[in-house]
Amino acid sequence: MLTNDVIARADSVLMQTYGRQPLVLVKGQGCRVWDEAGREYLDFVGGLAVCNLGHAHPAVTEAVHHQLQQLVHVSNLYYTLPMAALAQDLVRLSFAHRVFFANSGAEVNEAAIKLCRRYSLERFGPNRHRIISMTNSFHGRTFGALSATGQQKFWQGFEPLLPGFVFVPFNDLAALERAVDGTVCAVMIEPIQGEGGVILPDPGYLAGVRRLCDEAGLLMVLDEVQTGLGRTGKLFAHEHFGVAPDVMTLAKALANGLPMGALLATAEVAQAFVPGTHASTFGGGPAIAAAAREVLRILADPDFLAEVAAKGNYLRDRLTELQRRHPIITTVRGVGLMWGLKLARPGAPVVMACRERGLLVNCTQGDVIRLLPPLIVSLAELDQGLDILGQALT
Ligand SMILES: *Cc1c(COP(=O)(O)O)cnc(C)c1O
């Protein structure tokens, strides 16, 4: 069979960094993807919270197509129209006054770390460069982002890491308070831990983090790489919790599948980056910026976000029902269209059973089934997916 042949050939030449599902996907449309044998799958992974507008969204495709015919790349030695417009859109839609573009989540988290250190040096002087991060967090695989990631399993074989990170448990304000001293410049945190298993902040926790940051003069850095851009039913997850950060990172869904990341900051913090301090050859390139502009135009529409929130509530009710019928689900947690089902058993067999029945879901932390459907998902598609998930659990 062609699929097995492709997999065998790929496995013989690709570095073995991934435990890939045995699927060769060739086409996507909306919430569905097809493999090379023509089999259809309902996609509740959405490219890992990337394809928020679904696969092959016509407006995004059209914008990229148009831009590809005009200008693809000139580097950041020059200005381009899509980049300028996109930065304005992001500033208009957020707490931020300034934006830096890069190409992935890890990369903008690296940029955030550099920005915090440089801001702190200028504002407060030397020896105040440490960053408090959270146990069980995920910020990416490059060295700085990896060093900020509070999961030792990702560090193994790569130490020594970048120095200067302190870890405290998520949802533990007292531990955070104890960790703050004159050597700390920032707190870096996901508003909802995604890779860590969809862990929500306790009521008042993020507001408490904000207050501690204000009292100690620390920057609050929110990694919204996964939670941002409509995933939770608000444009940015922090809007649920009544806080605004000083620095925020976005990536995953920003260009609906094309690689783009954005670092956002207030004017005061952003001025620490002056010409020569940071750069990216591809960052904010015209074709990708054109895609992201369309993404924002669609996602930031209050009606669109209200629909995501409503579908999220529907999904929550259906998942709670599912849990009642399947005691193997120990916890259901999430918001909007970002959900985790913690199982009393390993999740891999459930992922496989879903796939065999035509549904793609992800498993994180070994036993958390993570659902990240495209935000354009219909109620009928949610029903279909949950029916399959129910069968798979049986
Ligand atoms: C996925 C993710 C990253 C890393 O993004 P990459 O584009 O894979 O580098 C960083 N932070 C969070 C919260 C993520 O979910």
Side-chain angles (χ1 to χ4, degrees), residues 262-285:
L263 168 70
L264 284 72
T266 60
E268 185 193 332
V269 178
Q271 50 79 33
F273 271 174
V274 296
T277 47
H278 199 51
S280 166
T281 298
F282 289 120

Side-chain angles (χ1 to χ4, degrees), residues 104-107 109 138-141 190 195 223 225-226 251-252:
S104 70
E107 223 183 310
N109 284 333
F138 184 79
H139 299 294
R141 304 298 199 115
E190 298 156 87
E195 202 282 337
D223 178 344
V225 166
Q226 184 166 153
K252 290 200 162 88

Side-chain angles (χ1 to χ4, degrees), residues 39-285:
R39 198 148 180 238
E40 181 180 306
Y41 299 86
L42 186 57
D43 181 8
F44 279 13
V45 180
L48 283 172
V50 167
C51 303
N52 281 9
L53 297 179
H55 298 280
H57 191 285
V60 178
T61 303
E62 170 55 30
V64 174
H65 186 232
H66 175 75
Q67 186 56 45
L68 286 176
Q69 291 171 320
Q70 306 299 313
L71 184 69
V72 176
H73 176 80
V74 289
S75 89
N76 283 304
L77 295 173
Y78 310 99
Y79 295 87
T80 61
L81 296 172
M83 160 212 291
L86 176 62
Q88 277 189 298
D89 292 343
L90 284 167
V91 165
R92 179 170 45 79
L93 293 166
S94 75
F95 71 94
H97 308 110
R98 297 204 176 255
V99 183
F100 174 87
F101 291 119
N103 314 285
S104 70
E107 223 183 310
V108 283
N109 284 333
E110 296 286 335
I113 293 164
K114 286 181 71 175
L115 181 64
C116 290
R117 282 194 174 186
R118 204 164 195 288
Y119 171 78
S120 184
L121 180 68
E122 289 201 335
R123 170 94 203 270
F124 299 100
N127 303 320
R128 192 180 182 281
H129 67 273
R130 296 205 304 160
I131 295 175
I132 299 176
S133 181
M134 300 296 135
T135 312
N136 197 44
S137 60
F138 184 79
H139 299 294
R141 304 298 199 115
T142 55
F143 257 112
L146 179 66
S147 304
T149 291
Q151 299 188 63
Q152 289 184 353
K153 68 179 180 198
F154 293 122
W155 302 347
Q156 267 157 30
F158 302 113
E159 288 160 282
L161 301 175
L162 181 68
F165 290 90
V166 193
F167 295 94
V168 299
F170 189 71
N171 274 332
D172 186 342
L173 268 184
L176 178 62
E177 194 163 6
R178 281 195 301 276
V180 175
D181 64 22
T183 68
V184 173
C185 67
V187 176
M188 188 167 183
I189 184 168
E190 298 156 87
I192 299 166
Q193 292 190 328
E195 202 282 337
V198 190
I199 313 290
L200 293 157
D202 292 338
Y205 174 65
L206 289 175
V209 173
R210 177 73 267 180
R211 183 171 34 76
L212 278 179
C213 286
D214 290 341
E215 285 166 9
L218 309 182
L219 298 177
M220 183 172 180
V221 182
L222 283 183
D223 178 344
E224 291 235 25
V225 166
Q226 184 166 153
T227 55
L229 300 164
R231 175 55 51 191
T232 66
K234 305 251 187 210
L235 190 56
F236 306 115
H238 65 258
E239 296 169 27
H240 288 283
F241 309 108
V243 297
D246 305 291
V247 176
M248 175 170 75
T249 53
L250 299 174
K252 290 200 162 88
L254 186 51
N256 206 51
L258 296 173
M260 175 170 250
L263 168 70
L264 284 72
T266 60
E268 185 193 332
V269 178
Q271 50 79 33
F273 271 174
V274 296
T277 47
H278 199 51
S280 166
T281 298
F282 289 120

Side-chain angles (χ1 to χ4, degrees), residues 348-393:
V350 177
V351 172
M352 187 173 81
C354 284
R355 191 179 70 236
E356 284 166 350
R357 290 166 176 77
L359 172 70
L360 304 186
V361 298
N362 168 251
C363 175
T364 185
Q365 299 293 321
D367 60 2
V368 179
I369 300 297
R370 185 169 42 162
L371 307 179
L372 301 161
L375 307 184
I376 55 153
V377 71
S378 67
L379 294 186
E381 285 166 331
L382 287 175
D383 283 341
Q384 188 194 350
L386 288 207
D387 289 347
I388 295 175
L389 184 56
Q391 290 164 24
L393 286 165

